[in-house]
């Protein structure tokens, strides 16, 4: 089990907010374009297996104590896991934009 404290949650919330404004501090624009150009229906994104994997990697990612350690974590992921985390990250960003109201990024 991964312990996540309030500071770690605040940091990842800050990163989500920056991405919602178009400033992507963790991911390369080419990677974003490559991953998000493929519809989730093509990859069975919400399968039980993926959801379990997403929970684990997202928890591990959030638990990193600094922006640098989060970046190092991303660099050490295999391509499929990196793509899954990137897609999950931007799914969260998109949902947070929709929750905030009519102004969209």
């Amino acid at each position: 089990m991964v312990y996540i404290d309030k500071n770690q949650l605040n940091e990842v919330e800050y990163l989500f907010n920056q991405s919602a404004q178009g400033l992507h501090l963790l991911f390369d624009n080419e990677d974003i374009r490559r991953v998000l150009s493929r519809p989730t229906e093509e990859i069975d994104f919400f399968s039980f297996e993926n959801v379990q994997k997403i929970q684990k990697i997202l928890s591990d990612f959030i638990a990193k104590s600094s922006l640098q350690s989060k970046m190092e974590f991303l660099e050490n992921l295999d391509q499929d896991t990196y793509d899954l985390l990137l897609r999950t990250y931007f799914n969260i960003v998109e949902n947070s934009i929709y929750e905030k109201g009519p102004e969209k990024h």
Side-chain angles (χ1 to χ4, degrees):
M1 178 173 246
V2 176
Y3 176 76
I4 299 171
D5 69 28
K6 185 175 177 154
N7 289 335
Q8 291 163 323
L9 285 176
N10 288 339
E11 182 176 285
V12 79
E13 184 176 315
Y14 170 79
L15 293 169
F16 290 147
N17 287 330
Q18 291 299 304
S19 287
Q21 296 176 42
L23 182 59
H24 310 302
L25 301 172
L26 294 171
F27 300 99
D28 178 73
N29 287 337
E30 289 298 317
D31 287 338
I32 296 168
R33 188 175 302 113
R34 176 183 53 78
V35 171
L36 298 183
S37 67
R38 186 171 177 207
T40 55
E41 297 80 22
E42 289 183 10
I43 57 171
D44 198 18
F45 181 68
F46 296 106
S47 70
F48 181 74
E49 180 182 303
N50 266 358
V51 170
Q52 286 186 315
K53 189 173 183 178
I54 288 167
Q55 289 174 339
K56 170 77 171 110
I57 60 174
L58 189 58
S59 295
D60 291 346
F61 172 75
I62 292 170
K64 299 302 175 192
S65 60
S66 68
L67 180 60
Q68 183 63 36
S69 62
K70 284 176 175 50
M71 293 173 83
E72 289 170 3
F73 177 80
L74 291 172
E75 290 171 4
N76 289 312
L77 294 175
D78 64 76
Q79 190 68 57
D80 288 341
T81 304
Y82 175 87
D83 291 357
L84 188 61
L85 182 57
L86 185 151
R87 186 175 292 278
T88 301
Y89 178 92
F90 281 97
N91 186 275
I92 293 168
V93 169
E94 181 179 37
N95 287 334
S96 70
I97 291 169
Y98 287 132
E99 286 178 8
K100 289 182 181 178
E103 286 189 45
K104 305 287 189 268
H105 162 60

